[in-house]
Amino acid sequence: MQNQTLEERIQLLEDVEEIRKLQATYGHYSDKGWNDKSMYCNRIGELVTEDATWECEFLGISIKGREEIIQTFEDMDKAFEFYMHGFSNPIININQNRAKAKWLLYLGGTSGEKVNLTYGSYDNEYARTSGGWLIQAIRLHVSKVLEA
């Protein structure tokens, strides 16, 4: 933050906070299964750029585009009754209208009688648009899955 004006420093803090909120909203729209909470597949589309990518080698997912991302979430919505995302330890780096962030992921879920607890991380990219920050790329790295 050296050699930055006060306005530039404030803008950086506002951008970081907007990206934190964007990531939390992504988790909120992905969660389902308690207090009549549903997965908001179409609302996830509001959080990503038109040409966004979503990748997860562990799940064999490598898709591009808002519509494919929505469809993938609709497919996951059918497979699981319960999801709860938790993100922590964000490292957010902003370079003008682009940003990159690393997050730790704690994901609980159920499918039938199976209970899953997934640990992993996200390496995401974000783009500033006329409407604010959106997710440009989602890269999920699964490190451990526990099933009971």
Side-chain angles (χ1 to χ4, degrees), residues 124-137:
N124 289 357
E125 295 179 23
Y126 305 85
R128 186 193 317 265
T129 69
S130 60
W133 287 96
L134 293 177
I135 301 170
Q136 178 73 51

Side-chain angles (χ1 to χ4, degrees), residues 44-63:
I44 289 169
E46 298 171 8
L47 306 178
V48 300
T49 62
E50 187 67 37
D51 63 346
T53 59
W54 198 93
E55 301 171 3
C56 177
E57 185 177 332
F58 181 85
L59 297 173
I61 295 173
S62 180
I63 55 177

Side-chain angles (χ1 to χ4, degrees), residues 26 29-30 39 41 44 54 68-78 85 138:
Y26 167 85
Y29 289 167
S30 300
M39 185 182 282
C41 300
I44 289 169
W54 198 93
E68 280 193 59
I69 291 170
I70 291 169
Q71 183 61 55
T72 298
F73 275 84
E74 288 175 350
D75 293 344
M76 287 188 285
D77 184 35
K78 295 171 189 164
H85 291 73
I138 300 166

Side-chain angles (χ1 to χ4, degrees), residues 51-137:
D51 63 346
T53 59
W54 198 93
E55 301 171 3
C56 177
E57 185 177 332
F58 181 85
L59 297 173
I61 295 173
S62 180
I63 55 177
K64 184 173 183 170
R66 181 179 288 143
E67 294 307 316
E68 280 193 59
I69 291 170
I70 291 169
Q71 183 61 55
T72 298
F73 275 84
E74 288 175 350
D75 293 344
M76 287 188 285
D77 184 35
K78 295 171 189 164
F80 291 88
E81 295 91 34
F82 173 83
Y83 266 131
M84 184 180 279
H85 291 73
F87 303 108
S88 69
N89 299 38
I91 301 171
I92 301 170
N93 293 300
I94 297 173
N95 185 0
Q96 297 177 345
N97 294 325
R98 298 283 183 217
K100 292 183 178 184
K102 295 181 177 292
W103 306 87
L104 292 183
L105 169 69
Y106 308 95
L107 173 65
T110 61
S111 178
E113 295 297 315
K114 285 188 176 181
V115 176
N116 298 298
L117 182 57
T118 303
Y119 298 99
S121 64
Y122 278 97
D123 288 316
N124 289 357
E125 295 179 23
Y126 305 85
R128 186 193 317 265
T129 69
S130 60
W133 287 96
L134 293 177
I135 301 170
Q136 178 73 51

